[in-house]
Amino acid sequence: MGSTDSKLNFRKAVIQLTTKTQPVEATDDAFWDQFWADTTTTVQDVFALVPAAEIRAVREESPSNLATLCYKAVEKLVQGAESGCPTEREKQVILNCTRILSRILPYIFEDQDWRGFFWSTVPGAGRAGTDELDDDDGARPLAESLLLAIADLLFCPDFTVHSHRRSPDSVENMQSIDSCEYIWEAGVGFAQSPPLNYIHDLNRTELLRLLLTCFSEAMYLPSSSDNNVLNPWVTFFCSAENRHALPLFTSLLNVVCAYDPVGYGIPYNHLLFSDYREQLVEQAVQILIVTLEHDGGLPHQTPSPSSMEEQESAGPENLFVNYLSRIHREEDYDFVLKGLARLLTNPLTQTYLPNSTKKIQFHQELLVLFWKLCDFNKKFLFFVLKSSDVLDILVPILFYLNDARADQSRVGLMHIGVFILLLLSGERNFGVRLNKPYSVHVPMDIPVFTGTHADLLIVVFHKIITTGHQRLQPLFDCLLTIVVNVSPYLKSLSMVAANKLLHLLEAFSTSWFLFSVAQNHHLVFFLLEAFNNIIQYQFDGNCNLVYAIIRKRNVFHQLANLPSDPASIQKALQRKRKSPDVISRTSSQETVSMEGSHPAVPAEPGTLKTSLVAIPEDGTMVSVSKGDPTHTAHSDQTAVAGTSDTESNSGRENEDVFYTESEMERRRLSSASSTSFWAPTQEWVHSWKCKLPLQTIMRLLQVLVPQVEKICIDKGLTDESEILKFLQHGTLVGLLPVPHPILIRKYQANAGTAMWFRTYMWGVVYLRNVDPPIWYDTDVRLFEIQRMCNGHNVKSTAADQSAAQDQDVYADDARQEPSTTMVGPLYRLHMANARSHTGSLRRTGQ
């Protein structure tokens, strides 16, 4: 039968389904077979031939027919999983049923009355399953039958995996197959790399798309303050009920980490086959990040490492999380890390050989996967930080942050990147690794410098703060926390990076900025703490920073003498322009940008007020003080908390509140509205001004400024290199205050950040699946979609029936870093509440 005839017959069947007012019996195979037997439709055909309006019409007017269609399609998948699809016709039936279910499921999920349908047992369901299903009382819910059938089909010989049959006549029993022998790719826990077969890749991709659609019920539920609400589809699929859980998890992880878009070292023509493998890798990484959300991201205890093959009861009930947390071999860590680094770096290398390699687009999913690896497997995190390989992750993250800083539609990407760096910076080794010279020179529109990866990090952060869009302001705390965390280990900052830090201090310490928002002074505390760390612990190699501090000494003197009387406060606030830049850019002298770079592209018109809202600013940061616990943790160490506690020899823990609930509410309101709900007072200024950690810097200036001035006068110096040479060989031993304990602020997950991750993750999945557009015109509730149409925002809702005309426009938008953006309406109130609990600081003496 020709392709056109197949489409016509399929379309006739769809029309019949919508026009039949009487229920069609499940036993009427002649009618139902029209949808999947003897038809050769692609998934794109199915989406075009089954319009959204008709699915909704059947759902409302002929619910029995829609229920039977779903049941019969699942029945076919179960039968195929049992038989092993020995014929080409049976394989085509499986693919057709897979495509139909992928099309229909979102419309089941969007209707609250239908959402439980797949979790009910269908009368007579025993015919669709094994013998134990013959008793209706013991029948599996339709969802479970569907998920188990998909899992079986993903290891079906000659359909999705390479057959191990000894002879063409032998038949492999699907029920007795050991799927661990059929893992899709070599890597973690599996040494053999099966022969590449693009048909198998295509079939796997179709089944994974259906699996992702099953999991997407989460998109149709409003964000809930109850963070323990689990996705029943994911929970069942990743449970011990799925006998393929281990080989499937391993297959997904290995397929992603082994993928090489360039094709070097792979004995096949990547121009012919990499497209199919890329589609598979995209679906695989999306399935991984969705299934690894086991408990809403709340803290948990990682089980002790043991062999992945030992399916012990320890660890989370979600087996995917369990397996991930128990990977322990160094060669496996190396395989995963190198694979992720290769893929994250792929888009960065395009400038040198334009269009010569495939440029992947799924870097956001890779960042979420890397996050989950570090979160669930602390030994992997320590492995990442053990060598300079962590820099292969750092550089692409900084590239993405710099590239996305001006585009408000990519604010989610900014947050995941910063969260990862915040997590890494909580470990000492990260700061140590940053001292490695930076010589790669990825094309970025940042000033050219000669220095280390620490310099790169500071220069990029400065660029984000000074030239990013306004909605990045909540990230300033996180960016400077990262700088503070690594500062005690930075051996030698370049002059460019040193000047950038001083420029930030100069901008943040202006009186109008300090008095504008109740928390702005915290940014000054962060910077002063970073300077103190470098001076106290890395003075010898940091003559550039010391020189920059001497040159900008007036900034420190002005801070020390900051006027706090009401008249001065009012005068400072009056100087504030009506809509000022966050940072004055006038004193930031930009030099030539790196070769091959291009300016960050701002958001398309109309996206400026959209995308994810109410993002968590800080997470929970647990601060660990390293050093002599007998020292008084005075204001130098409590930069953000602004309190003064003494740490006893017993190492007892002291709780400091980062921001009180009322302060967080004030902060939220002040940023959300131009109307001021808060006014600075003399008492408020005094409460934090007296705790500014200026003692170390003031002592440094007191000692060095006269010496530098004397040298300049005596030698008539105008060349700063001589001054730097003097500072390089100078010493302040015995002249500075006693070194303070190092304070590291560690990231810790909480309900607020977990909800943000869920929303961001599903938003990315939504926008990345545009061919076919699985969820495009459905009533998603986890976030809102605002679509660009002739430069105007158009809110996409379930009532929008014009998907066919707009799909192409949408696909073009979303192919890029999408200008179609996500907004979380029900998410705003929850995040406002969650943020009042973020940022508690716990100091422990060690």
Side-chain angles (χ1 to χ4, degrees):
M1 183 184 291
S3 176
T4 304
D5 291 340
S6 292
K7 291 178 186 177
L8 285 172
N9 291 340
F10 182 84
R11 180 65 191 141
K12 285 177 186 174
V14 173
I15 294 171
Q16 284 179 314
L17 190 70
T18 56
T19 53
K20 282 182 182 290
T21 53
Q22 296 300 316
V24 182
E25 292 296 327
T27 53
D28 187 354
D29 289 335
F31 176 78
W32 297 112
D33 281 350
Q34 296 176 94
F35 290 96
W36 37 74
D38 300 321
T39 58
T40 53
T41 52
T42 65
V43 67
Q44 287 80 12
D45 291 337
V46 170
F47 273 70
L49 296 172
V50 188
E54 293 183 17
I55 301 174
R56 291 194 179 102
V58 174
R59 187 184 69 194
E60 303 305 322
E61 297 161 22
S62 308
S64 175
N65 287 343
L66 181 62
T68 306
L69 177 65
C70 292
Y71 158 64
K72 295 290 286 185
V74 173
E75 180 183 54
K76 288 295 178 185
L77 292 182
V78 172
Q79 290 171 352
E82 288 178 349
S83 69
C85 310
T87 67
E88 289 303 313
R89 184 177 182 275
E90 287 175 89
K91 291 172 185 172
Q92 189 61 50
V93 166
I94 293 298
L95 292 174
N96 288 337
C97 290
T98 299
R99 293 158 187 165
I100 289 170
L101 286 170
S102 297
R103 179 58 171 154
I104 291 174
L105 271 169
Y107 299 90
I108 299 287
F109 294 149
E110 74 174 6
D111 189 315
Q112 188 174 357
D113 295 334
W114 273 85
R115 222 167 279 146
F117 166 71
F118 270 84
W119 293 98
S120 60
T121 53
V122 180
R127 293 179 296 104
T130 51
D131 295 338
E132 67 260 24
L133 297 183
D134 288 339
D135 179 7
D136 286 346
D137 292 336
R140 284 192 179 279
L142 203 57
E144 293 185 6
S145 298
L146 172 57
L147 291 172
L148 293 178
I150 295 172
D152 281 338
L153 288 166
L154 285 168
F155 293 99
C156 182
D158 284 333
F159 182 56
T160 51
V161 293
H162 186 66
S163 176
H164 293 178
R165 284 181 301 187
R166 301 296 173 101
S167 68
D169 299 328
S170 62
V171 177
E172 290 169 288
N173 186 341
M174 284 293 291
Q175 304 311 310
S176 61
I177 274 180
D178 180 2
S179 47
C180 285
E181 297 176 3
Y182 291 86
I183 289 172
W184 300 348
E185 188 58 73
V188 175
F190 194 68
Q192 296 84 34
S193 189
L196 282 157
N197 185 315
Y198 78 95
I199 297 294
H200 292 172
D201 278 358
L202 287 172
N203 294 341
R204 293 165 180 170
T205 302
E206 299 246 25
L207 288 165
L208 290 182
R209 182 188 296 118
L210 173 57
L211 192 57
L212 192 64
T213 309
C214 291
F215 295 158
S216 70
E217 184 182 61
M219 282 197 223
Y220 298 90
L221 304 174
S223 55
S224 168
S225 57
D226 181 3
N227 223 44
N228 292 316
V229 176
L230 298 177
N231 184 326
W233 296 83
V234 171
T235 301
F236 178 80
F237 190 77
C238 298
S239 72
E241 295 268 7
N242 180 3
R243 69 188 180 98
H244 303 293
L246 174 60
L248 185 57
F249 167 78
T250 310
S251 294
L252 295 171
L253 185 63
N254 291 354
V255 156
V256 171
C257 295
Y259 178 54
D260 184 357
V262 178
Y264 291 141
I266 298 179
Y268 69 97
N269 186 333
H270 76 272
L271 293 176
L272 289 177
F273 297 107
S274 64
D275 279 352
Y276 305 115
R277 180 50 59 112
E278 185 187 20
Q279 294 171 33
L280 175 64
V281 171
E282 284 193 28
Q283 294 291 319
V285 72
Q286 289 172 10
I287 291 288
L288 278 173
I289 64 175
V290 167
T291 50
L292 289 171
E293 190 194 28
H294 79 296
D295 57 0
L298 296 178
H300 61 90
Q301 292 295 318
T302 301
S304 57
S306 61
S307 170
M308 281 181 63
E309 283 74 19
E310 295 175 20
Q311 299 201 20
E312 58 195 22
S313 59
E317 292 181 9
N318 178 315
L319 291 180
F320 277 33
V321 175
N322 196 339
Y323 299 142
L324 186 71
S325 69
R326 284 162 40 201
I327 299 173
H328 64 282
R329 297 191 309 167
E330 293 226 341
E331 55 265 41
D332 290 338
Y333 291 155
D334 187 63
F335 165 76
V336 170
L337 179 59
K338 281 187 166 52
L340 293 179
R342 177 177 59 249
L343 292 173
L344 285 170
T345 308
N346 163 266
L348 283 59
T349 58
Q350 301 304 307
T351 305
Y352 304 112
L353 298 167
N355 304 317
S356 63
T357 60
K358 175 160 286 296
K359 184 175 180 179
I360 65 162
Q361 301 286 339
F362 50 92
H363 49 274
Q364 294 191 87
E365 295 97 313
L366 292 168
L367 290 174
V368 175
L369 179 59
F370 179 77
W371 170 271
K372 290 183 179 294
L373 278 157
C374 292
D375 188 29
F376 293 136
N377 193 320
K378 295 307 177 195
K379 289 203 169 188
F380 174 76
L381 174 60
F382 298 145
F383 176 85
V384 168
L385 295 167
K386 192 173 70 173
S387 73
S388 297
D389 289 346
V390 66
L391 303 177
D392 295 334
I393 300 290
L394 169 71
V395 171
I397 289 177
L398 291 176
F399 173 86
Y400 295 129
L401 291 179
N402 185 62
D403 190 54
R405 70 180 189 274
D407 186 348
Q408 296 200 34
S409 69
R410 289 197 278 172
V411 69
L413 172 60
M414 298 294 295
H415 277 79
I416 181 66
V418 172
F419 280 167
I420 289 173
L421 297 184
L422 186 60
L423 181 74
L424 295 175
S425 74
E427 307 298 333
R428 174 187 176 276
N429 273 353
F430 182 66
V432 174
R433 299 294 160 231
L434 291 178
N435 290 306
K436 184 176 180 180
Y438 174 66
S439 56
V440 181
H441 296 303
V442 168
M444 284 192 250
D445 60 326
I446 56 174
V448 174
F449 68 91
T450 301
T452 66
H453 284 76
D455 296 310
L456 176 68
L457 180 134
I458 288 169
V459 168
V460 170
F461 282 10
H462 175 271
K463 193 88 173 180
I464 292 169
I465 291 171
T466 57
T467 66
H469 57 78
Q470 226 174 356
R471 294 189 58 241
L472 295 182
Q473 289 182 40
L475 279 179
F476 290 1
D477 282 5
C478 286
L479 293 171
L480 294 187
T481 297
I482 294 164
V483 173
V484 174
N485 279 351
V486 302
S487 60
Y489 315 109
L490 305 184
K491 295 182 181 299
S492 177
L493 287 183
S494 69
M495 186 61 81
V496 172
N499 285 335
K500 297 303 180 192
L501 287 178
L502 265 298
H503 173 242
L504 290 180
L505 180 70
E506 190 175 13
F508 287 146
S509 61
T510 58
S511 54
W512 74 259
F513 183 79
L514 286 171
F515 299 156
S516 297
V517 179
Q519 284 73 36
N520 277 354
H521 63 279
H522 291 314
L523 303 174
V524 172
F525 275 90
F526 276 133
L527 286 165
L528 292 177
E529 187 179 348
F531 294 149
N532 288 337
N533 283 340
I534 294 173
I535 292 166
Q536 293 278 21
Y537 291 98
Q538 302 291 348
F539 178 83
D540 290 348
N542 275 292
C543 58
N544 288 325
L545 181 66
V546 173
Y547 178 62
I549 288 173
I550 291 173
R551 284 183 59 236
K552 292 287 186 180
R553 57 190 177 276
N554 63 309
V555 176
F556 299 95
H557 290 299
Q558 287 169 4
L559 256 179
N561 299 308
L562 184 73
S564 58
D565 58 282
S568 298
I569 292 175
Q570 286 308 310
K571 187 177 178 182
L573 291 175
Q574 285 165 7
R575 282 204 304 269
K576 181 181 177 183
R577 291 164 292 175
K578 285 187 177 179
S579 41
D581 289 333
V582 181
I583 301 295
S584 167
R585 297 167 174 82
T586 53
S587 55
S588 174
Q589 297 173 355
E590 295 296 337
T591 54
V592 180
S593 290
M594 293 193 170
E595 183 181 352
S597 68
H598 57 86
V601 180
E604 293 290 328
T607 62
L608 297 181
K609 295 180 181 177
T610 62
S611 87
L612 283 171
V613 297
I615 25 69
E617 294 190 8
D618 314 291
T620 298
M621 294 184 207
V622 181
S623 290
V624 184
S625 173
K626 299 185 176 181
D628 185 352
T630 61
H631 283 311
T632 299
H634 51 74
S635 56
D636 277 23
Q637 293 85 58
T638 57
V640 182
T643 57
S644 180
D645 295 315
T646 302
E647 300 192 356
S648 67
N649 286 313
S650 65
R652 70 182 174 82
E653 295 179 357
N654 298 307
E655 294 283 341
D656 291 336
V657 178
F658 201 156
Y659 298 134
T660 65
E661 188 161 347
S662 59
E663 281 177 324
M664 288 302 272
E665 182 66 9
R666 261 206 313 269
R667 188 173 201 185
R668 187 179 67 82
L669 292 172
S670 67
S671 62
S673 170
S674 58
T675 309
S676 177
F677 292 90
W678 169 86
T681 64
Q682 185 170 0
E683 294 74 24
W684 170 78
V685 176
H686 181 72
S687 70
W688 55 262
K689 180 187 166 185
C690 65
K691 294 169 185 156
L692 282 168
L694 287 166
Q695 301 91 326
T696 298
I697 293 172
M698 288 306 193
R699 182 63 179 151
L700 176 146
L701 293 173
Q702 184 184 11
V703 173
L704 292 182
V705 170
Q707 295 180 14
V708 170
E709 288 177 341
K710 185 175 187 301
I711 292 173
C712 291
I713 293 169
D714 290 350
K715 297 188 176 181
L717 288 181
T718 54
D719 183 6
E720 64 182 24
S721 64
E722 287 293 324
I723 302 170
L724 288 171
K725 194 177 295 182
F726 163 74
L727 293 173
Q728 197 169 0
H729 296 99
T731 179
L732 291 178
V733 175
L735 298 174
L736 295 180
V738 177
H740 54 277
I742 295 172
L743 189 71
I744 300 292
R745 294 172 181 83
K746 287 180 176 284
Y747 175 89
Q748 197 173 64
N750 60 45
T753 53
M755 193 61 236
W756 180 85
F757 268 105
R758 180 181 303 158
T759 307
Y760 171 63
M761 176 181 69
W762 277 112
V764 169
V765 170
Y766 178 104
L767 290 172
R768 295 278 300 124
N769 284 272
V770 295
D771 185 24
I774 302 174
W775 304 281
Y776 173 55
D777 56 349
T778 60
D779 189 16
V780 171
R781 299 189 67 194
L782 186 62
F783 44 80
E784 285 180 8
I785 298 297
Q786 296 195 342
R787 182 165 39 82
M788 293 301 299
C789 187
N790 298 325
H792 300 289
N793 280 330
V794 181
K795 188 177 291 185
S796 177
T797 66
D800 179 11
Q801 302 297 337
S802 58
Q805 295 94 313
D806 293 329
Q807 272 173 11
D808 291 340
V809 177
Y810 169 82
D812 290 340
D813 284 346
R815 279 293 185 190
Q816 314 300 322
E817 282 295 348
S819 58
T820 306
T821 53
M822 300 166 293
V823 188
L826 304 166
Y827 178 52
R828 183 181 293 111
L829 178 61
H830 170 67
M831 283 309 308
N833 294 335
R835 280 180 46 200
S836 66
H837 304 297
T838 63
S840 59
L841 282 174
R842 187 170 70 231
R843 285 205 308 280
T844 55
Q846 293 187 349

